[in-house]
């Protein structure tokens, strides 16, 4: 049982004796939400307001729980109610901003974030979320860095300046202690990417420690035995996490969250380890001086084009990650073969879809009168999805009679979408990540646009790595041309479906052993950089043993 589960159980037991304790109901709800028990949290917050009807924080967190459950209307109503009873509640404006972003209303979201920051200028989450929206919709690397630096200069860098010195054992080739920090080692995309990595680390040269700050489930139970040490830090604050990592004498510490929910960046800010890098869970810079590297590759982050958008040095692997597909995914023939008319779909979350992207898809539908388009919305039912999104689509001229809006669905149901879809359409500027790989594994060709920054280039990276350059467009016109040409060639679609899994299996995307060796080489080279006092090594194209030998004469720290 995770420590937070124990705390939840203790709070519930206390409330049996003190059912009128509004503060404790609020605390219980906050812990339940942190543990991803959103329904239980709503119940606790409701009990809180039953005792104290004016408890604005309880109403606020009810809104966030509805947002967690992707019940956007209920979340919207809750945040607006909070502002009625507490007009200066910045978190309610923040919640409204997140709702607006989920609805594709990016400018409104940014305006609300500006208001929230004006009300509560010491709230770190507001700055980080605003920076990510500016990065996605502004697309200027220098402005992206400036936005994230605003967060870092206020909240992270002062902790770094006050950090206690480190004095690790400086032997270049010794066994290194590697630490991974994440709140997502459960049924989550990050866990599926790192699971094959954890299981294949070279234990003779690397000792693997995990610091898990999130809830646990069956995926956690499967991953935990594959590492040397597992620390549940779900009930610890950032200072406690930092202290634990220091006591464990971690040499290379890997952040798997960036600014996403549950992150422990302020533990990194305190300089928890000699070498610190961010990888995988967030496609932007952290903005902080204490994060030494962002692990990436040359396709996701082309050399010379994106450095200006990063506070970190970019360390490029041969590929940024590997893919572990869900088990038992069917691979039926493309539906267009038997029924005629092509079924298009964007399987990315609708909050990634800008109005400009919808207009591009409208052009495709106009060129293909027999085509249909499926979209995936945040809402929990098809009726809610249509009610929330239908007006926006109609306002942009999409033919609603040919558009199907589906709610979020379980993974096994999602992975059966290949039986009703022929071609996947990627989003821009924010491209798909895990969703793109799932789409490919379903047998769906993915039409996408190239991009210069990581959040733009994820899908293009995968398509180019697999040899499908013809599906990577340089602009909107090329995107429309590629999609229409593919839709008019059922045999191309069928050939793609019949061959894509073999290509994936033979590519770096699924060569787990080679990837882990490359990742471990990056850890070793980052360690040598630390010993040398400079960041000379920024890719893995070196003779590792020669570089280790050349570093042996380094003096120990004074």
């Amino acid at each position: 049982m995770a420590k937070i589960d124990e705390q939840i159980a203790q709070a519930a037991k206390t409330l049996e004796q003190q059912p009128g304790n509004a503060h404790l109901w609020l605390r219980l709800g906050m812990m339940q939400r942190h543990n991803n028990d959103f329904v239980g949290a709503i119940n606790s917050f409701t009990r809180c307001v039953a005792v104290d009807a004016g408890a604005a924080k309880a109403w606020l967190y009810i809104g966030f729980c509805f947002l967690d459950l992707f019940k956007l209307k209920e979340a919207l109503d809750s945040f607006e109610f909070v502002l009625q009873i507490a007009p200066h509640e910045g978190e309610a404006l923040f919640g409204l901003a997140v709702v607006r972003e989920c609805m594709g209303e990016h400018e409104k979201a940014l305006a609300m974030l500006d208001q929230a920051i004006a009300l509560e200028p010491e709230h770190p989450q507001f700055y980080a979320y605003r920076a990510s929206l500016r990065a996605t919709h502004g697309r200027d690397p220098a402005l992206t860095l400036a936005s994230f630096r605003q967060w870092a200069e206020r909240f992270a860098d002062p902790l770094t300046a006050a950090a206690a010195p480190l004095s690790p054992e400086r032997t270049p080739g010794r066994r290194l202690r590697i630490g991974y920090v994440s709140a997502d080692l459960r049924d989550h995309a990050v866990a599926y990417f790192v699971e094959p990595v954890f299981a294949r680390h070279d234990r003779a040269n690397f000792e693997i420690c995990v610091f898990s700050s999130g809830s646990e489930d069956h995926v956690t139970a499967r991953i935990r035995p594959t590492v040397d040490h597992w620390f549940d830090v779900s009930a610890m604050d950032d200072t406690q996490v930092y202290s634990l990592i220091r006591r464990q004498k971690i040499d290379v510490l890997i952040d798997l969250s960036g600014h996403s929910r549950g992150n422990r960046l302020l533990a990194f800010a305190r300089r928890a380890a000699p070498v610190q890098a961010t990888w995988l869970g967030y496609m932007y810079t952290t903005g902080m001086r204490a994060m030494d590297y962002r692990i990436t590759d040359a396709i996701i982050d082309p050399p010379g084009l994106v450095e200006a958008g990063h506070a970190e040095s970019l360390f490029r692997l041969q590929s940024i990650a590997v893919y572990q597909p869900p088990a038992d995914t069917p691979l039926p023939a493309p539906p267009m073969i038997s029924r005629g008319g092509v079924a298009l779909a964007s399987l990315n979350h609708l909050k990634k879809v800008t109005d400009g992207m919808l207009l591009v898809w409208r052009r495709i539908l106009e060129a293909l009168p027999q085509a249909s388009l499926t979209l995936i919305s945040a809402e929990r039912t098809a009726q809610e999805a249509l009610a929330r999104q239908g007006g926006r689509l109609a306002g942009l001229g999409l033919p609603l009679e040919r558009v199907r809006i589906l709610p979020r669905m379980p993974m096994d149901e999602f992975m059966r979408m290949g039986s009703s879809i022929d071609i996947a359409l990627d989003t821009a500027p924010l491209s798909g990540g895990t969703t793109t790989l799932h789409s490919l594994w379903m047998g769906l060709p993915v039409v996408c646009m190239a991009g210069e920054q990581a959040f733009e280039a994820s899908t293009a990276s995968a398509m180019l790595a697999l040899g499908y350059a013809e599906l990577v467009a340089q602009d909107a016109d090329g995107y429309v041309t590629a999609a229409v040409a593919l839709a008019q060639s059922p045999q191309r679609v069928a050939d793609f479906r019949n061959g894509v899994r073999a290509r994936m299996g033979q590519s770096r995307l699924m060569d787990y052993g080679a990837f882990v060796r490359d990742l471990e080489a990056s850890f070793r080279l980052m360690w040598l950089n630390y010993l040398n006092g400079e960041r000379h090594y920024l890719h893995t194209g070196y003779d590792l043993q020669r570089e280790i030998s050349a570093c042996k004469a380094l003096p120990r720290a004074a």
Side-chain angles (χ1 to χ4, degrees):
M1 177 184 289
K3 290 183 175 62
I4 194 168
D5 292 318
E6 296 174 2
Q7 293 187 353
I8 289 170
Q10 182 58 49
K13 186 175 180 180
T14 303
L15 279 164
E16 291 176 2
Q17 308 301 318
Q18 302 177 37
N21 189 329
H23 174 75
L24 191 52
W25 280 117
L26 180 67
R27 181 170 175 270
L28 174 60
M30 292 174 69
M31 288 190 293
Q32 289 169 318
R33 179 173 180 252
H34 178 74
N35 210 32
N36 292 330
D37 178 11
F38 307 125
V39 174
I42 289 174
N43 178 67
S44 296
F45 294 135
T46 302
R47 294 292 297 270
C48 176
V49 298
V51 176
D52 178 5
K57 286 294 184 183
W59 290 111
L60 175 72
Y61 291 124
I62 288 173
F64 280 116
C65 286
F66 280 133
L67 191 55
D68 294 326
L69 293 166
F70 296 98
K71 289 184 173 290
L72 298 185
K73 182 181 184 304
E74 291 85 348
L76 189 71
D77 291 343
S78 298
F79 295 133
E80 288 180 341
F81 176 72
V82 172
L83 288 172
Q84 290 177 22
I85 61 175
H88 301 292
E89 180 56 71
E91 283 193 278
L93 280 167
F94 171 75
L96 285 175
V98 177
V99 171
R100 293 299 181 188
E101 174 65 10
C102 288
M103 295 165 60
E105 299 174 0
H106 314 299
E107 293 304 320
K108 286 184 179 179
L110 281 167
M112 288 176 174
L113 286 168
D114 288 341
Q115 294 177 51
I117 288 172
L119 286 172
E120 297 186 32
E122 297 306 317
H123 199 302
Q125 192 176 13
F126 299 174
Y127 290 82
Y129 192 66
R130 183 175 67 173
S132 68
L133 294 192
R134 285 177 172 173
T136 301
H137 303 293
R139 306 178 68 181
D140 182 329
L143 291 179
T144 292
L145 178 58
S147 294
F148 281 105
R149 288 294 299 143
Q150 287 179 346
W151 169 85
E153 288 168 358
R154 185 177 289 263
F155 303 105
D157 293 350
L159 298 174
T160 306
L166 288 151
S167 55
E169 165 58 50
R170 296 176 61 85
T171 305
R174 69 172 173 82
R175 190 186 191 210
L176 295 178
R177 287 176 66 84
I178 310 298
Y180 290 94
V181 184
S182 178
D184 299 320
L185 299 177
R186 50 185 169 82
D187 189 3
H188 185 281
V190 166
Y192 288 100
F193 279 112
V194 300
E195 183 175 3
V197 174
F198 288 176
R200 290 169 175 80
H201 270 307
D202 174 8
R203 294 302 196 273
N205 288 295
F206 300 93
E207 188 172 1
I208 308 302
C209 303
V210 165
F211 302 89
S212 174
S213 62
S215 60
E216 299 183 354
D217 61 12
H218 66 285
V219 176
T220 314
R222 192 171 67 221
I223 295 175
R224 189 197 302 264
T226 67
V227 303
D228 297 300
H229 307 284
W230 186 284
F231 300 95
D232 173 15
V233 299
S234 59
M236 296 183 183
D237 62 26
D238 292 326
T239 302
Q240 292 169 322
V241 173
Y242 151 79
S243 297
L244 172 62
I245 294 170
R246 279 275 184 121
R247 290 196 303 273
Q248 294 302 314
K249 299 185 182 301
I250 299 300
D251 299 305
V252 180
L253 187 65
I254 307 299
D255 159 59
L256 296 173
S257 298
H259 283 283
S260 62
R261 182 177 167 187
N263 75 77
R264 295 307 188 122
L265 290 181
L266 296 184
F268 284 78
R270 292 167 166 84
R271 182 52 74 176
V275 177
Q276 300 187 150
T278 185
W279 175 49
L280 201 61
Y282 195 71
M283 300 302 280
Y284 307 98
T285 181
T286 63
M288 55 196 289
R289 299 198 183 283
M291 196 67 73
D292 303 309
Y293 304 95
R294 189 169 79 80
I295 298 173
T296 183
D297 65 28
I299 298 179
I300 287 282
D301 285 297
L305 294 180
V306 294
E307 281 77 4
H310 289 84
E312 308 86 359
S313 296
L314 297 181
F315 197 107
R316 292 179 173 89
L317 305 181
Q318 295 183 51
S319 60
I320 191 172
V322 283
Y323 173 61
Q324 178 175 271
D328 303 322
T329 302
L331 193 66
M336 66 188 300
I337 299 296
S338 58
R339 74 183 182 202
V342 62
L344 308 169
S346 169
L347 301 183
N348 294 323
H349 194 295
L350 250 177
K351 74 176 183 180
K352 288 187 175 183
V353 182
T354 63
D355 286 357
M357 197 76 246
L358 289 170
L359 292 174
V360 171
W361 294 343
R362 188 185 75 180
R363 291 173 58 189
I364 295 171
L365 291 174
E366 288 171 347
L368 300 168
Q370 303 303 313
S372 63
L373 174 63
T374 296
L375 304 174
I376 306 292
S377 181
E379 287 76 19
R380 306 299 284 189
T381 70
Q383 292 77 14
E384 289 177 350
L386 182 61
R388 178 59 61 185
Q389 302 291 342
R392 178 190 177 200
L393 301 181
L396 291 169
L398 274 80
L400 291 187
E401 71 278 6
R402 294 162 60 196
V403 177
R404 179 175 59 154
I405 309 176
L406 298 180
R408 289 172 60 87
M409 62 192 74
M411 177 60 72
D412 58 345
E413 183 178 345
F414 178 83
M415 293 304 296
R416 294 196 294 271
M417 291 289 288
S419 63
S420 60
I421 302 299
D422 297 298
I423 297 170
L425 302 176
D426 192 37
T427 47
L430 192 60
S431 73
T434 311
T435 300
T436 293
L437 298 178
H438 286 339
S439 299
L440 292 171
W441 194 252
M442 290 182 224
L444 304 179
V446 182
V447 179
C448 65
M449 276 195 250
E452 293 184 353
Q453 299 182 76
F455 65 86
E456 302 174 283
S458 181
T459 295
S461 170
M463 301 305 291
L464 292 171
L466 293 171
Y468 294 116
E470 71 277 7
L471 298 180
V472 180
Q474 299 302 312
D475 53 29
D477 289 343
Y479 184 103
V480 172
T481 298
V484 171
L486 186 61
Q488 293 174 335
S489 180
Q491 190 57 52
R492 277 183 66 196
V493 174
D495 290 345
F496 185 98
R497 187 167 296 210
N498 291 333
V500 65
R501 285 193 181 178
R503 286 202 197 188
M504 293 177 77
Q506 295 164 8
S507 74
R508 289 190 175 277
L509 277 172
M510 297 178 70
D511 190 343
Y512 308 127
F515 176 81
V516 173
R517 289 191 294 273
D518 197 41
L519 181 65
E520 290 175 343
S522 78
F523 295 162
R524 183 66 65 182
L525 291 166
M526 290 176 195
W527 176 243
L528 296 184
N529 280 343
Y530 172 76
L531 297 181
N532 286 326
E534 61 181 4
R535 296 181 189 176
H536 171 70
Y537 306 107
L538 292 174
H539 60 80
T540 55
Y542 294 91
D543 182 328
L544 192 56
Q545 291 307 313
R546 184 177 66 188
E547 302 305 322
I548 292 172
S549 297
C551 191
K552 282 184 177 177
L554 279 174
R556 293 177 59 86

